[in-house]
Amino acid sequence: MEFIVIIISAIFVNNVVLAQFLGICPFLGVSKKVSTAVGMTGAVTFVMILATIVTYLIQKYILDAFGIGFMQTISFILVIASLVQLVEIMLKKVSPPLYQALGVFLPLITTNCAILGVAIMTIQKDYNLLEAVVFSGASAIGFGLALVLFAGLREHLDLVDLPKGMKGAPAALVVAGLLAMAFMGFSGIV
């Protein structure tokens, strides 16, 4: 039952993008096409889960063991940056079209504060490794859900006749706000 609460909470109630405002840069930058949003979701999911596992182990077996917890943020950033480089190399070899579609946004995963935020939150919430993996996977799903929904809405906005002053970023920000308010409706679940 605890895992179900973690999953529902991470996806809907405490969505990293819409409730905690982490990962806004890729949320706004990669959300113009659904196909690109799905690719970014896959990359972020892989990096987020892997980063959570590695950072959890580093925290428990190195930082806590040697009493150097103050090095948490810098060590987590280095781990995430290294993992993103590995994902970039893998995507270049495995899926060149996806690598091209993500383009400049792939390095944004390195600075995606959602990944760092989830890694730090798993430590702060005192999760064990399994709970941390479930939380990071659910957070990645929540990130992806918000990203794909927003991309679909932005694709639809391109087909709508909007006033000149609302085209582009203004309409996207209004839709993002409405999407965040819609997700607030889930707050009574958990």
Side-chain angles (χ1 to χ4, degrees), residues 48-64 72 76 79 118-133:
M48 192 175 285
I49 292 171
L50 195 58
T52 299
I53 292 169
V54 174
T55 55
Y56 180 89
L57 295 173
I58 287 172
Q59 179 72 37
K60 295 298 178 191
Y61 296 109
I62 297 174
L63 300 178
D64 289 347
Q72 180 188 56
F76 284 15
V79 167
V118 167
I120 290 174
M121 280 188 276
T122 58
I123 303 302
Q124 288 175 344
K125 294 180 184 223
D126 201 29
Y127 286 149
N128 62 37
L129 184 59
L130 184 58
E131 290 170 337
V133 170

Side-chain angles (χ1 to χ4, degrees), residues 19-32:
Q20 298 175 12
F21 306 112
L22 298 173
I24 295 294
C25 190
F27 177 71
L28 293 173
V30 188
S31 60
K32 292 184 180 173

Side-chain angles (χ1 to χ4, degrees), residues 2-154:
E2 186 176 332
F3 291 117
I4 295 171
V5 171
I6 291 172
I7 291 168
I8 291 173
S9 175
I11 294 174
F12 299 110
V13 179
N14 295 318
N15 187 290
V16 290
V17 176
L18 300 174
Q20 298 175 12
F21 306 112
L22 298 173
I24 295 294
C25 190
F27 177 71
L28 293 173
V30 188
S31 60
K32 292 184 180 173
K33 289 174 50 179
V34 173
S35 59
T36 308
V38 169
M40 182 64 141
T41 297
V44 166
T45 301
F46 178 73
V47 171
M48 192 175 285
I49 292 171
L50 195 58
T52 299
I53 292 169
V54 174
T55 55
Y56 180 89
L57 295 173
I58 287 172
Q59 179 72 37
K60 295 298 178 191
Y61 296 109
I62 297 174
L63 300 178
D64 289 347
F66 293 106
I68 52 174
F70 61 90
M71 296 289 292
Q72 180 188 56
T73 304
I74 191 71
S75 61
F76 284 15
I77 289 170
L78 291 173
V79 167
I80 291 167
S82 302
L83 290 174
V84 169
Q85 290 303 311
L86 288 173
V87 168
E88 190 171 353
I89 291 168
M90 287 173 43
L91 276 179
K92 200 172 195 177
K93 292 199 181 274
V94 173
S95 180
L98 180 58
Y99 176 78
Q100 292 293 63
L102 292 175
V104 73
F105 298 109
L106 194 56
L108 283 177
I109 297 175
T110 304
T111 59
N112 188 344
C113 56
I115 295 172
L116 178 62
V118 167
I120 290 174
M121 280 188 276
T122 58
I123 303 302
Q124 288 175 344
K125 294 180 184 223
D126 201 29
Y127 286 149
N128 62 37
L129 184 59
L130 184 58
E131 290 170 337
V133 170
V134 168
F135 176 72
S136 66
S139 294
I141 291 169
F143 176 84
L145 177 66
L147 187 63
V148 170
L149 284 173
F150 189 56
L153 291 170
R154 284 186 76 177

